Amino acid sequence: MTTLKEFETALREQGMNMALAILEKLKERDRANRTVRVGRRIAGKKMTPELARRIIELNQTTEMTQQEIAFQLGVNQGRVNEVLKHGKWLQDDPKSEEAVSRDRAKARMEKARAESVPVNMHKSVAPPEEAARRPKPRPRNAAQLSIEDFLSSPPRSEQR
C-alpha cells in the first residue's frame, strides 16, 4: 500500500502539478477540519484471577504479543506484563499486595472526586478564628526565576 508521501513524490516526479495542487488543497481542508479532542481515560476490566489465567493461556497457546492480548481482553498492557513476568493477580486473596494497592487507588480516586466538588457545595466553612490560625501564603522566593525575568532581560549577545 502506498503512503500519501510516496504518492506525492510520484506526482512530483511525473510533473503533475495540477494533481499536486489538488492534493495540497485537500490537505489544507483536512487541517482546517481537524479537531483535537480532550483525551479521556478508559477504565479497563477489573483484574481477576480468571482474567490472569486467561492471559497466561493466551500467551502460551498463541503467538500474540502482550499488547495484542491486552487489546483483546480489554486490559492494560502493563497488567498483562505483571501477570506474565511476576505472577500477579493469580490469587483471589483480598489481602494480597495487588488487592491492597487497588483498594488504596480506589480510595484516592474517591477522595479526589470528593475534593473536586465546587466550594459552594461543601457543607462547612472554617470559623473565622480557625481561618486566622492558618499560615499565610509565603511570598515568592526572589531567587526563583519566572518568565518575566527572561522577557525583561536583554539577549545574551547584548550582555557580553
Side-chain angles (χ1 to χ4, degrees), residues 29-93:
R29 185 197 66 194
D30 288 346
R31 278 188 214 112
N33 293 334
R34 191 176 305 157
T35 60
V36 178
R37 292 190 178 97
V38 177
R40 79 182 176 118
R41 185 174 180 181
I42 300 173
K45 290 182 182 176
K46 177 182 174 185
M47 279 301 296
T48 62
E50 295 79 31
L51 192 55
R53 286 188 207 90
R54 180 81 175 118
I55 289 170
I56 291 173
E57 176 189 332
L58 283 173
N59 184 56
Q60 292 173 346
T61 60
T62 66
E63 294 294 318
M64 294 171 72
T65 65
Q66 289 183 6
Q67 187 67 44
E68 292 167 338
I69 292 171
F71 182 75
Q72 182 172 350
L73 297 179
V75 296
N76 186 302
Q77 184 268 328
R79 294 286 177 246
V80 173
N81 185 48
E82 286 179 346
V83 170
L84 296 176
K85 302 286 188 218
H86 306 290
K88 289 188 173 185
W89 303 105
L90 291 173
Q91 299 90 20
D92 201 8
D93 180 15

Side-chain angles (χ1 to χ4, degrees), residues 6-151:
E6 291 170 337
F7 182 64
E8 190 175 353
T9 303
L11 290 175
R12 267 200 187 83
E13 289 173 357
Q14 298 296 320
M16 303 178 112
N17 295 330
M18 290 299 290
L20 282 168
I22 292 171
L23 185 62
E24 191 58 39
K25 282 188 179 190
L26 289 172
K27 282 183 184 179
E28 287 175 16
R29 185 197 66 194
D30 288 346
R31 278 188 214 112
N33 293 334
R34 191 176 305 157
T35 60
V36 178
R37 292 190 178 97
V38 177
R40 79 182 176 118
R41 185 174 180 181
I42 300 173
K45 290 182 182 176
K46 177 182 174 185
M47 279 301 296
T48 62
E50 295 79 31
L51 192 55
R53 286 188 207 90
R54 180 81 175 118
I55 289 170
I56 291 173
E57 176 189 332
L58 283 173
N59 184 56
Q60 292 173 346
T61 60
T62 66
E63 294 294 318
M64 294 171 72
T65 65
Q66 289 183 6
Q67 187 67 44
E68 292 167 338
I69 292 171
F71 182 75
Q72 182 172 350
L73 297 179
V75 296
N76 186 302
Q77 184 268 328
R79 294 286 177 246
V80 173
N81 185 48
E82 286 179 346
V83 170
L84 296 176
K85 302 286 188 218
H86 306 290
K88 289 188 173 185
W89 303 105
L90 291 173
Q91 299 90 20
D92 201 8
D93 180 15
K95 296 189 187 305
S96 70
E97 180 185 341
E98 298 83 31
V100 170
S101 295
R102 179 194 63 225
D103 294 340
R104 281 188 196 139
K106 283 183 177 179
R108 281 194 310 269
M109 288 170 52
E110 287 300 319
K111 183 179 177 188
R113 212 175 278 133
E115 289 175 354
S116 68
V117 174
V119 176
N120 60 359
M121 297 294 287
H122 287 293
K123 292 181 181 176
S124 63
V125 176
E129 63 274 358
E130 184 179 323
R133 283 184 272 153
R134 288 187 188 150
K136 293 189 167 95
R138 294 185 301 192
R140 193 178 117 208
N141 184 351
Q144 183 177 358
L145 293 175
S146 71
I147 191 69
E148 288 86 20
D149 297 329
F150 289 106
L151 295 175

